Amino acid sequence: MKITASPSNETDIKADVIILPLVEDLRPEEYADLDKRIGGLITKVIAAKEFAGKQNQFTLLHVQNLKSERLLLAGLGKRAELTPELLRRAGGGAFSYVNKLGVHNVAISVRSLYHSPRNARNKGAERFQRILYFMEGGLLGNYRFEKYRKVSNGAGLKSITVLDNTPAQSFKRLNTVISAVYLARDLVNTPSNDLTPVDMSNQARAASGNKVKVTVLDEKKIKRESMGAYLSVAQGSVNPPRFIVMEYRGGKGDPLVLIGKAVTFDSGGISIKPADGMEKMKYDMAGGAAVIAVMKAVSEMALPLNIIGIVPAAENLPGGAAFKPGDVVTAINNKTIEIISTDAEGRLTLADAIGYARKYCKPSAIIDIATLTGACSIALGNAAIAMMGNSSGLMDELRSAAEETYERVWQMPLYDEYKEYLKSDVADMKNAGGRVGSLVAAGYFLKEFAGETPWVHLDIAGTAWHDKESGYIPKGSSGIGVRLIIDFLERRATGLSRGK
Ligand code: BES
Ligand code: MN
Ligand code: ZN
């Protein structure tokens, strides 16, 4: 997307549509000059109660005396109630409105955004922060997955002109973040026949650029590393696993390791899932997609940090070679695991990835992100990520990033009592307890592998996929985790004070 800033005004800009965000408690002087120019049309629609500036209210005006022919009034709601998230949603609504008009070139008037109060959290932020929130929502909502369609659904926006002198640098950041989210969404929406573990490793390479060193372990090497838990998940599929390691060195000190679950298709294996809705299990690699996308963004932003992304990709299928309930497997750290359900496969892949990171990467901290349990969406719906971990500091950092990005996290406990749930009669532990506490049991399982390393687990099973479009989150893959982790890393890079 071409985004430019132009300090010109609504009169002189030539666009297909000018978006004019307006608050509900508007003061006439905020739009009087423009209104006069277009023959008092704004006053008229307000007087006629066709437009009141309410959130999610839009009115399209055909105007004269401007170089552009159409003006879209976009309601923001009450000035004092405006938050970053409401700005994103308003942006999402406005962009989807203009998208349906089939136009290519849009301008955004930002006059009203300047008159809105700052969010308390962003006191120090530059004044155009609000424009960026609006644009962020707009661009996030503008996503379409059309790889498999012969006829495209929309004409597609090509350029956005912001009527302001916003610095190009902040658009650059925005574009980087948005294209990372788009990449994650594309990967997740792509069906598993076109996104096998090998495809995923190729995507990781393609996304990386020259600042990220990508190493891919094939089955032989995975076997040599004794990652028996991870390997057992993959063994039922003709599509071999790929253990993807992406290394970015931009700073000093021990690296932060990001691990993303990447089960390219989760049939459940021999403990097979019900057929109904199984097609959605192509999204079981959303954590891995987020990690690949974050690594791409990190290198484009040249963050002064050391970060390693690990994506243990595998496909979980039943078959003659598949692992079976009752099998005992040995992870990289020599712990033995009794398989109770082959459908509790994600934790097996992550256990070895965490073990690998601790053995080879000297991690200062580990964050894993995974569509790990159905119980996660039972507990939190699609409104929050379930967060568990052994480091309250790390969780606090993620909570701050979550508030900022609205990719919200909700902490779940990891009480020692849960250890009981995973006791095996034959091995060091088993991979699944019963239905009771299955969200936290999964977290507890991983905790046993994280040991002393500061670690946080993010379960995105409820948030990674949306059955319905909502605001700027499209139907299908949401790309969750990408903005959250980028924001978290930027905070680390700048010592919490982040200038966008
Ligand atoms: N990938 C699933 C979790 C999942 C379910 C993600 C629905 C998104 C939507 C995971 O591998 C799984 O099957 N978990 C089981 C674990 C159980 C067997 C202990 C679950 O949650 O049912
Ligand atoms: Mn499963
Ligand atoms: Zn799974």
Side-chain angles (χ1 to χ4, degrees), residues 261 266 268 273 284 316 342-346:
K261 171 174 172 182
D266 181 13
K273 288 182 181 294
D284 212 19
N316 186 20
T342 62
D343 199 11
E345 84 298 338

Side-chain angles (χ1 to χ4, degrees), residues 288-482:
V291 169
I292 292 172
V294 166
M295 295 309 289
K296 169 176 138 76
V298 159
S299 77
E300 281 172 24
M301 290 169 153
L303 292 183
L305 300 168
N306 288 337
I307 306 163
I308 298 176
I310 298 182
V311 179
E315 186 172 55
N316 186 20
L317 292 185
F323 73 143
K324 303 171 294 293
D327 287 0
V328 174
V329 298
T330 307
I332 189 171
N333 63 354
N334 268 323
K335 261 196 213 291
T336 55
I337 305 162
E338 181 192 6
I339 306 302
I340 298 299
S341 169
T342 62
D343 199 11
E345 84 298 338
R347 63 198 76 182
L348 298 168
T349 69
L350 297 176
D352 271 332
I354 292 171
Y356 180 96
R358 294 186 72 209
K359 186 166 177 188
Y360 293 111
C361 306
K362 221 167 165 271
S364 60
I366 295 175
I367 297 172
D368 80 73
I369 175 163
T371 47
L372 209 58
T373 65
C376 174
S377 55
I378 301 293
L380 300 172
N382 58 22
I385 296 167
M387 174 170 78
M388 286 147 265
N390 61 13
S391 161
S392 52
L394 198 56
M395 286 192 276
D396 286 343
E397 283 182 77
L398 281 158
R399 234 184 310 264
S400 303
E403 265 172 48
E404 167 64 28
T405 56
Y406 216 73
E407 295 200 332
R408 292 172 297 178
V409 295
W410 191 261
Q411 191 181 339
M412 293 293 183
L414 288 180
Y415 298 131
D416 284 332
E417 281 81 347
Y418 302 152
K419 197 179 175 85
E420 194 65 28
Y421 298 10
L422 300 169
K423 277 218 169 105
S424 162
D425 293 336
V426 297
D428 294 335
M429 54 200 303
K430 56 184 182 184
N431 78 329
R435 279 162 51 82
V436 171
S438 83
L439 168 59
V440 287
Y444 201 92
F445 182 92
L446 299 178
K447 180 180 142 132
E448 298 275 27
F449 289 85
E452 302 303 305
T453 307
W455 151 84
V456 170
H457 162 57
L458 302 171
D459 194 332
I460 55 169
T463 46
W465 188 269
H466 285 237
D467 289 328
K468 276 197 301 242
E469 178 184 335
S470 68
Y472 54 82
I473 304 170
K475 194 170 166 168
S477 167
S478 63
I480 190 93
V482 176

